[in-house]
Amino acid sequence: KKSFQGPFRACHDLVKPQDFYRNCLSDLCLNNGAKSILCQVLETYAAMCQKHGAMVHDWRTPSGC
């Protein structure tokens, strides 16, 4: 089993990141890579993770949000 690193590592088994990743990519493409879109998607994913009881580490600093 692949072990994930990063701020959302405890969440990947609870909330699958694939849909968020795909939606984020298409939104970023449609908006010329707007940083606010990236931050919005990460914020939504973080909230979902916490709602499911996963520990989320600092994601704002590494992503620049």
Side-chain angles (χ1 to χ4, degrees):
K1 183 177 175 176
K2 185 178 176 190
S3 79
F4 288 98
Q5 299 303 306
F8 300 107
R9 60 188 170 271
C11 184
H12 292 304
D13 286 336
L14 298 171
V15 182
K16 298 292 177 228
Q18 289 82 358
D19 289 340
F20 284 90
Y21 181 73
R22 273 194 297 275
N23 291 340
C24 183
L25 271 187
S26 68
D27 288 349
L28 286 172
C29 288
L30 292 171
N31 294 282
N32 298 317
K35 182 73 142 203
S36 60
I37 300 287
L38 174 67
C39 295
Q40 207 171 33
V41 171
L42 289 175
E43 195 169 350
T44 303
Y45 188 64
M48 284 290 276
C49 292
Q50 290 168 331
K51 196 172 135 186
H52 285 82
M55 171 73 175
V56 177
H57 302 273
D58 177 36
W59 57 270
R60 291 182 187 276
T61 305
S63 61
C65 293

